Amino acid sequence: MRNMPALRVILLGSCMPDNVRKGYIPKKDEIIKFQLPKLFQENILEKQNITRIFCAPDIQVSPERFFSKYSIELEPKLENRNYGIWAGQQLKNLLVEDQVQFMNPTYSPNGGESMCAFHIRLKSWLDSLFHKAQNQDTFLVIASPVIIRALSACILADEIKNSFHILNKLDIYPESWSVFSGRAGKWRILTLSAPF
């Protein structure tokens, strides 16, 4: 256990599009423009000794000049769930059968992915970070609050199939930050949804 690398992951939750706040299901390739406060960026980048930065491909960070000395790695596995034919529709306007299936973790909408597949994708990516880490590394992850919420549920659940029950007990606020730590393939949540 002593020789296993320790890893810290700081997760920055972006803002959320207005239409999603009004009950619309996110569109497939919708880009979220996200501006980090200058003081927060300086604090994170200078005081936290960040070694790598991963960013969801559906997040556009502005201004990027604070990240200029870092290579931001766009990570496709951090993209929001693919809702298929439901994308862009208002949840309350879906057919009643579709609204019921929306809460079914194993159901995949036509052209999309199930909640179960979404969680498996995210958890496998998070666990893959152990292979990318040296001892005492700190990684920065920039993603939507939806992604951070799902990752948190996957950590708290004893199995992926139980992570969906935890989702409804978690809120990750837009423009907040969370911290995970990991060692030997096990994760802990140190901070969850602290406002900027």
Side-chain angles (χ1 to χ4, degrees):
M1 184 90 150
R2 189 175 254 192
N3 295 329
M4 297 297 289
L7 176 61
R8 192 165 57 131
V9 180
I10 299 173
L11 303 102
L12 302 184
S14 69
C15 49
M16 292 294 289
D18 286 336
N19 61 350
V20 172
R21 290 176 149 176
K22 294 175 183 171
Y24 283 84
I25 299 168
K27 294 179 184 174
K28 168 81 173 108
D29 295 315
E30 187 169 13
I31 301 294
I32 299 170
K33 293 185 178 177
F34 179 41
Q35 184 165 0
L36 282 169
K38 179 181 177 183
L39 288 175
F40 187 79
Q41 288 188 53
E42 290 172 345
N43 178 50
I44 288 292
L45 294 177
E46 292 174 13
K47 296 181 182 173
Q48 301 299 326
N49 197 26
I50 302 295
T51 50
R52 288 177 84 170
I53 299 176
F54 299 94
C55 186
D58 49 4
I59 305 290
Q60 181 182 19
V61 180
S62 172
E64 293 182 5
R65 61 190 161 88
F66 296 106
F67 297 110
S68 60
K69 70 177 184 178
Y70 296 91
S71 174
I72 298 177
E73 301 174 48
L74 290 181
E75 179 49 66
K77 290 186 179 177
L78 291 173
E79 192 168 29
N80 201 355
R81 179 181 170 195
N82 179 356
Y83 288 98
I85 60 170
W86 294 343
Q89 297 185 56
Q90 195 164 23
L91 185 56
K92 69 179 183 181
N93 292 340
L94 292 179
L95 298 173
V96 174
E97 309 87 66
D98 287 340
Q99 289 182 22
V100 170
Q101 293 295 4
F102 190 83
M103 299 307 293
N104 179 350
T106 60
Y107 181 79
S108 299
N110 191 7
E113 69 183 326
S114 69
M115 182 68 78
C116 183
F118 174 56
H119 280 219
I120 289 170
R121 166 169 55 96
L122 290 174
K123 182 64 164 67
S124 67
W125 177 79
L126 184 65
D127 289 344
S128 77
L129 294 181
F130 288 112
H131 302 292
K132 298 174 182 178
Q134 305 296 321
N135 201 27
Q136 304 299 325
D137 269 350
T138 299
F139 294 163
L140 179 66
V141 173
I142 304 168
S144 78
V146 172
I147 298 297
I148 298 168
R149 181 177 175 230
L151 286 168
S152 302
C154 290
I155 288 174
L156 293 170
D158 53 347
E159 294 181 42
I160 288 287
K161 66 181 182 179
N162 298 328
S163 62
F164 318 106
H165 305 295
I166 294 172
L167 269 183
N168 294 330
K169 298 177 181 180
L170 292 175
D171 276 328
I172 302 296
Y173 294 106
E175 299 181 281
S176 67
W177 64 297
S178 302
V179 181
F180 299 166
S181 71
R183 183 188 288 273
K186 303 289 184 194
W187 291 99
R188 292 178 21 194
I189 297 175
L190 303 179
T191 304
L192 194 61
S193 194
F196 291 169

